Amino acid sequence: MFGLLGVTVVTAGSAFVFGMVLALLGSLKLALAKRMSLGEGRIGVLLSVLNLALMTMMILTGLLVDGTLGARWIILGGSLLTAAAIFVLGLRPHYATAVVATLLAGLGSAGLSTGSIVLMRTAFFPESTTASLNLGFVFVALGALITPVLVDVLSSVWSFRWVATALALLCLFPAVFALMTDGGQFQIEQHSAPTAALTASHTVWLAALVFVFYAPLEASISIWATTFLTELGQSERGATWTLSGFWCAFLGSRLLTAAAAHLPALAGWEGWLLVIPAALVAVLLGNLSGTASRAGARRGLWLVGFLLGPIFPTLIGILFQHLKDDHLEDYGTAYGLVFATGSLGSLVLAPIFGSLARRRNVQFALRLPMLLAIVMTLAALVFSLAG
């Protein structure tokens, strides 16, 4: 039986699998389209099913983590459900099966996300919530970054069914370690606040407001970055490498923030780790919307990735610290509310960005993410000052 080290491994593994699920449909898009004769529209439906499942289940799993079940059993169930979903996806080449499997993957990965984020507070750096969350979200980014490469390598030697089976086995990693770790080690979160008191907290809703603008901002840049570069004359391969650099910068800045959050000089000033990067992202996107230089566009996107990386984990870290100070320790429920509210922003604004990009060009459409970054800066400033 593992002790506290087991909790750390479970937390990191759950975060990794959650990131893997977020990138999985995009990675398997071509294989699914070929295997089931699906068009772009039906692939889009699968993505919508995944996002809707995540939105609804984040709140429910948050309540369950804060309630009687706790993080260990939610992670265990989420790991098993996600593995079963991916295994079923490779079992039968039918669209209805793919819809059910995607729905189950959304339900399971919601449990992995909520459970791991609640455990992150103390699994890495108990003395610094901001450092813990930034390091924890490195594993989410790693899962999203490694999955496309892993799927590409496995698909070159195995059939789709065996690729799905291998990925399903990987999803069982958190469940195995959760069972091998002493259950008492998971009882590190406190549950003292009724849900009504939590939902009345202005801090929770101000954090959700920041995420309402952050979620569609990150999604629009990650989806349209390669199209933007090819419009400037960059080759498809070069655009793909630039996007990889974007995600590496995204990941690296989270590591850097996790290290910097321990500095005594930053104590009490964590809010500026939200406001300043958000403001700089707005400036960079404004420059990108008017640039004609491929080299400048590449550097600009890498800088945007570097600045965006720590914003969400820092936001959740500051929120958790405020909740602790206010004796509202239902961290899972708070995270679920923030995630679900922010996801609505993506649901509403992503189609608008896509429509602008199709009617004009991606370079012109970057003005919408620039506006999102400006409003996000204002929301982050209000959140920081109100705290």
Side-chain angles (χ1 to χ4, degrees):
M1 297 283 283
F2 294 101
L4 189 56
L5 177 62
V7 175
T8 303
V9 173
V10 170
T11 304
S14 300
F16 181 90
V17 173
F18 175 62
M20 190 181 85
V21 172
L22 292 181
L24 197 56
L25 277 182
S27 304
L28 293 174
K29 183 168 68 172
L30 292 177
L32 282 171
K34 182 179 179 181
R35 180 176 168 84
M36 302 180 190
S37 302
L38 304 181
E40 286 288 337
R42 286 196 164 188
I43 294 293
V45 170
L46 293 180
L47 287 168
S48 298
V49 167
L50 178 66
N51 289 327
L52 287 171
L54 282 171
M55 282 172 56
T56 53
M57 287 303 294
M58 283 293 185
I59 298 176
L60 178 58
T61 54
L63 289 166
L64 293 173
V65 165
D66 294 329
T68 55
L69 288 180
R72 184 194 191 199
W73 291 106
I74 290 298
I75 286 175
L76 184 62
S79 178
L80 293 172
L81 195 57
T82 304
I86 295 174
F87 180 74
V88 168
L89 188 64
L91 204 58
R92 300 183 62 192
H94 300 299
Y95 182 63
T97 304
V99 172
V100 173
T102 304
L103 178 63
L104 291 177
L107 302 182
S109 59
L112 290 170
S113 174
T114 308
S116 65
I117 282 163
V118 168
L119 293 174
M120 281 177 198
R121 292 184 309 109
T122 51
F124 299 114
F125 305 112
E127 71 283 1
S128 175
T129 307
T130 299
S132 290
L133 268 292
N134 271 281
L135 181 57
F137 271 87
V138 165
F139 293 100
V140 178
L142 273 174
L145 192 63
I146 290 173
T147 297
V149 178
L150 181 62
V151 168
D152 190 46
V153 170
L154 293 179
S155 298
S156 65
V157 292
W158 288 345
S159 67
F160 182 87
R161 177 176 293 187
W162 283 108
V163 171
T165 302
L167 294 173
L169 289 173
L170 187 59
C171 291
L172 290 174
F173 178 86
V176 171
F177 271 85
L179 286 172
M180 295 171 65
T181 302
D182 180 14
Q185 297 291 336
F186 289 88
Q187 304 304 315
I188 54 178
E189 62 269 21
Q190 303 174 37
H191 320 294
S192 61
T195 304
L198 186 72
T199 53
S201 169
H202 70 277
T203 309
V204 173
W205 296 113
L206 285 174
L209 181 64
V210 176
F211 192 51
V212 162
F213 301 109
Y214 173 85
L217 173 61
E218 181 194 312
S220 61
I221 294 171
S222 62
I223 291 170
W224 293 97
T226 51
T227 307
F228 164 64
L229 289 166
T230 52
E231 282 188 358
L232 289 177
Q234 180 85 323
S235 67
E236 289 189 12
R237 185 176 182 183
T240 301
W241 277 107
T242 300
L243 185 60
S244 297
F246 171 89
W247 288 117
C248 287
F250 193 87
L251 188 152
S253 63
R254 288 180 173 178
L255 274 175
L256 186 62
T257 305
H262 290 289
L263 299 175
L266 280 180
W269 295 90
E270 291 91 344
W272 293 106
L273 294 176
L274 299 176
V275 178
I276 294 174
L280 291 175
V281 166
V283 173
L284 283 168
L285 289 174
N287 290 335
L288 286 171
S289 68
T291 189
S293 166
R294 287 187 302 234
R298 286 195 298 269
R299 288 193 297 269
L301 283 170
W302 291 336
L303 279 172
V304 168
F306 184 83
L307 292 166
L308 277 179
I311 289 178
F312 183 53
T314 301
L315 173 71
I316 300 300
I318 295 172
L319 171 63
F320 282 3
Q321 188 59 51
H322 283 319
L323 294 178
K324 182 179 179 181
D325 293 342
D326 295 337
H327 305 290
L328 299 172
E329 292 96 347
D330 280 350
Y331 303 106
T333 308
Y335 169 72
L337 288 170
V338 169
F339 188 94
T341 306
S343 297
L344 282 174
S346 287
L347 207 62
V348 172
L349 293 171
I352 297 174
F353 182 88
S355 176
L356 274 175
R358 283 188 291 270
R359 283 193 290 112
R360 299 290 295 269
N361 57 54
V362 176
Q363 195 167 0
F364 175 83
L366 280 175
R367 296 177 186 178
L368 178 59
M370 180 189 70
L371 291 174
L372 289 176
I374 292 171
V375 182
M376 181 178 72
T377 303
L378 297 174
L381 183 61
V382 173
F383 172 75
S384 301
L385 294 176

